[in-house]
Amino acid sequence: DQQVKQNSPSLSVQEGRISILNCDYTNSMFDYFLWYKKYPAEGPTFLISISSIKDKNEDGRFTVFLNKSAKHLSLHIVPSQPGDSAVYFCAASDTGGFKTIFGAGTRLFVKA
Amino acid sequence: KAGVTQTPRYLIKTRGQQVTLSCSPISGHRSVSWYQQTPGQGLQFLFEYFSETQRNKGNFPGRFSGRQFSNSRSEMNVSTLELGDSALYLCASSKMPGQGADTQYFGPGTRLTVL
C-alpha cells in the first residue's frame, strides 16, 4: 500500500525551462510534506517542505504547491539547471507520528 | 561538523548469510532511522531508534533487526539474506525523533548486493 505516490519515474527538461514534479498521497492524516533531492552515491538531502496549513511555499528557484482536497503536491523548479539533475523524493508525515513515508522518486534530467 | 557515516559502503553477500550495517549519527543527534531504497519502491522505512529504544518500525519481516548503543551509534542486521534484500540501506539522524523529516540528515548509504 503506497501512501505516497510519484507516478512519473523520470522527467526530461531543457535547461532554463520549468520542471514540474508531481506527488499524490492517500492518507488524510498527513499534514507535513517534504521534497528531497538525491545525487548518485550520496544520501538524500532536504530541499523544501510545506505544512498543510499552507498551499504554497517558495525558496529561490523551488516552489512547492499543496492541494489538500486533491491530496496532491508538486515541486516547481524555475529555471531548471543541469545541476538539478537528480532523483527527487516526495515525503509525507503526520505530526503525531514519528514516521516519514517516501515516494518512489522521480529522476529529473535537465539537458543543457 | 562531520555528517552521518555508514560502514561499509559496499557489501556483497550470498543468500542465507547474515549482514550487519553500521551508522554513526551526527554528533549530538540521538535519533537514528533506517531506510531501504530499491528501484521503483523509493525509500521504505525500516525502524527508528532513540535513546537505545526502538520507537517505530516499518513493515519488514523479523529478519531485519536493529539496535542503538549508548553513544547513539546504530546497527542494523539482516539474517538469512534473500536476493530481494539487495538494496541501498540509508541511515538518517536527527536531534530528536518526531520533529519532522526536514531535520533528518542522511548518510551516503550501504549498497548491499545479495548473490
Side-chain angles (χ1 to χ4, degrees):
Chain A
D1 176 27
Q2 284 190 306
Q3 299 184 59
V4 178
K5 299 179 184 179
Q6 293 178 257
N7 292 320
S8 298
S10 66
L11 174 68
S12 185
V13 171
Q14 198 69 37
E15 180 181 9
R17 306 293 292 268
I18 184 172
S19 295
I20 300 176
L21 294 91
N22 294 302
C23 178
D24 297 295
Y25 62 96
T26 57
N27 190 337
S28 58
M29 297 298 292
F30 289 144
D31 56 9
Y32 197 68
F33 305 90
L34 311 95
W35 286 93
Y36 276 78
K37 180 166 72 172
K38 184 182 186 300
Y39 292 117
E42 295 181 14
T45 55
F46 169 71
L47 187 59
I48 192 169
S49 64
I50 187 167
S51 164
S52 61
I53 62 173
K54 295 184 175 182
D55 55 18
K56 175 183 174 181
N57 189 27
E58 192 172 353
D59 184 1
R61 296 186 297 112
F62 302 89
T63 303
V64 56
F65 296 91
L66 175 63
N67 182 333
K68 284 178 60 180
S69 60
K71 294 191 177 67
H72 176 84
L73 65 154
S74 61
L75 175 68
H76 292 209
I77 306 174
V78 183
S80 300
Q81 299 174 353
D84 296 329
S85 297
V87 177
Y88 289 80
F89 291 98
C90 168
S93 64
D94 66 85
T95 49
F98 299 90
K99 194 161 58 176
T100 302
I101 308 297
F102 285 79
T106 296
R107 185 176 295 278
L108 175 65
F109 299 93
V110 180
K111 298 175 287 187
Chain B
K1 56 184 175 183
V4 178
T5 58
Q6 292 187 244
T7 56
R9 291 294 309 277
Y10 303 92
L11 205 49
I12 299 176
K13 292 284 188 179
T14 56
R15 280 181 298 175
Q17 288 187 307
Q18 75 163 9
V19 67
T20 299
L21 312 181
S22 180
C23 171
S24 293
I26 291 172
S27 178
H29 284 195
R30 297 168 59 197
S31 175
V32 173
S33 297
W34 288 89
Y35 294 86
Q36 180 195 65
Q37 185 193 355
T38 54
Q41 291 294 316
L43 276 68
Q44 302 283 311
F45 173 77
L46 280 155
F47 25 65
E48 179 185 29
Y49 286 88
F50 176 71
S51 293
E52 303 177 63
T53 302
Q54 187 180 90
R55 295 184 61 86
N56 216 334
K57 190 177 190 302
N59 296 324
F60 278 81
R63 300 185 297 107
F64 292 81
S65 63
R67 60 178 176 168
Q68 186 180 35
F69 301 95
S70 58
N71 62 357
S72 296
R73 188 177 70 86
S74 177
E75 289 181 347
M76 67 162 281
N77 184 277
V78 188
S79 62
T80 321
L81 284 166
E82 300 177 359
L83 295 179
D85 297 333
S86 295
L88 180 69
Y89 289 88
L90 291 160
C91 165
S93 79
S94 60
K95 288 184 180 178
M96 297 288 286
Q99 288 183 316
D102 52 349
T103 63
Q104 285 188 334
Y105 295 82
F106 282 85
T110 294
R111 172 73 62 184
L112 172 65
T113 301
V114 181
L115 302 176

